Amino acid sequence: DAGITQSPRYKITETGRQVTLMCHQTWSHSYMFWYRQDLGHGLRLIYYSAAADITDKGEVPDGYVVSRSKTENFPLTLESATRSQTSVYFCASKVGGQSTDTQYFGPGTRLTVL
Amino acid sequence: RKEVEQDPGPFNVPEGATVAFNCTYSNSASQSFFWYRQDCRKEPKLLMSVYSSGNEDGRFTAQLNRASQYISLLIRDSKLSDSATYLCVVNRADSWGKLQFGAGTQVVVTP
């Protein structure tokens, strides 16, 4: 019962490099989300997806790209990493579109951009 | 103004004591309310949903006050394992899955 996994768990990269964070869930949940968490801020939504091939911007999408060719995968790409993108990134999923549905989070990826 | 605001704490609580803290939200269209727990920057996990009539889950009691736009969490008989950051989470009626997170309230239970 793997649930939702993220890889890598830790990543150090340099400014200007492209980085892809992976998210995989085994529940076949329709909805998936990417958040970033920074000190002093709550989790902020970067992108979300309601189903395969359907994605939309969240609160802080600039500098990020997502894709969802398969229901179980939702990779997040930083096209040209900047220091301000140093953060902890959480992927989440939920089964349906009800506002009351629980979101389940992956373990997070701690990204440092030098 | 942030959409969801919380006292960051920390709330230092002796083991066995009761602690309570609030969270305010600014959007009156908010529909669903939750408390999540987060340990040491690990992934958030749902602690409990908050219902209009208030609800209890063991030692945890959540209340919703729509008129004043706040929710509260009360922890009775605190355990060392309750030490964590508690995230207040709100879902607007017009944003089915897009949760708004508070920055969290840190609780430290001491022996």
Side-chain angles (χ1 to χ4, degrees):
Chain A
D1 186 345
I4 184 165
T5 57
Q6 294 183 233
S7 62
R9 296 293 312 281
Y10 302 88
K11 177 74 178 177
I12 299 174
T13 191
E14 294 178 337
T15 301
R17 292 194 180 267
Q18 183 180 81
V19 177
T20 296
L21 310 184
M22 304 302 293
C23 178
H24 175 80
Q25 50 107 353
T26 59
W27 295 308
S28 298
H29 283 175
S30 295
Y31 294 83
M32 296 188 75
F33 308 83
W34 273 106
Y35 295 90
R36 60 178 289 173
Q37 185 176 36
D38 306 290
L39 285 174
H41 292 273
L43 277 76
R44 292 181 291 175
L45 182 65
I46 305 171
Y47 267 95
Y48 62 100
S49 169
D53 296 321
I54 300 175
T55 62
D56 207 347
K57 295 177 180 179
E59 183 184 353
V60 288
D62 293 344
Y64 303 96
V65 174
V66 293
S67 61
R68 193 156 175 220
S69 57
K70 294 184 178 181
T71 299
E72 61 267 29
N73 296 324
F74 191 37
L76 176 75
T77 297
L78 287 66
E79 294 183 294
S80 178
T82 64
R83 288 197 182 91
S84 65
Q85 292 177 310
T86 293
S87 187
V88 180
Y89 291 84
F90 289 103
C91 177
S93 72
K94 75 186 190 97
V95 61
Q98 297 297 318
S99 63
T100 52
D101 290 339
T102 301
Q103 285 196 20
Y104 296 92
F105 287 80
T109 294
R110 191 174 296 271
L111 176 68
T112 301
V113 183
L114 302 176
Chain B
R1 183 184 174 187
K2 293 181 181 178
E3 191 154 338
V4 181
E5 302 218 42
Q6 297 183 248
D7 183 340
F11 284 69
N12 294 298
V13 187
E15 196 174 4
T18 296
V19 60
F21 42 89
N22 294 339
C23 150
T24 59
Y25 60 94
S26 60
N27 193 320
S28 59
S30 298
Q31 183 181 56
S32 303
F33 308 88
F34 311 89
W35 284 104
Y36 276 70
R37 172 192 169 127
Q38 186 174 29
D39 295 290
C40 295
R41 304 271 277 178
K42 292 186 177 178
E43 73 271 25
K45 294 182 180 179
L46 179 67
L47 176 67
M48 57 196 303
S49 300
V50 185
Y51 303 120
S52 295
S53 56
N55 49 299
E56 195 173 300
D57 183 0
R59 297 179 294 104
F60 297 85
T61 300
Q63 295 281 350
L64 168 63
N65 186 316
R66 285 191 184 273
S68 300
Q69 296 185 198
Y70 74 86
I71 66 174
S72 64
L73 182 67
L74 181 146
I75 307 173
R76 286 185 302 277
D77 188 23
S78 297
K79 311 292 185 190
L80 296 177
S81 58
D82 294 334
S83 296
T85 297
Y86 292 85
L87 308 178
C88 174
V89 185
V90 172
N91 191 332
R92 298 199 305 265
D94 61 349
S95 63
W96 45 264
K98 291 187 283 184
L99 302 177
Q100 297 290 327
F101 285 79
T105 295
Q106 186 184 9
V107 173
V108 179
V109 182
T110 55

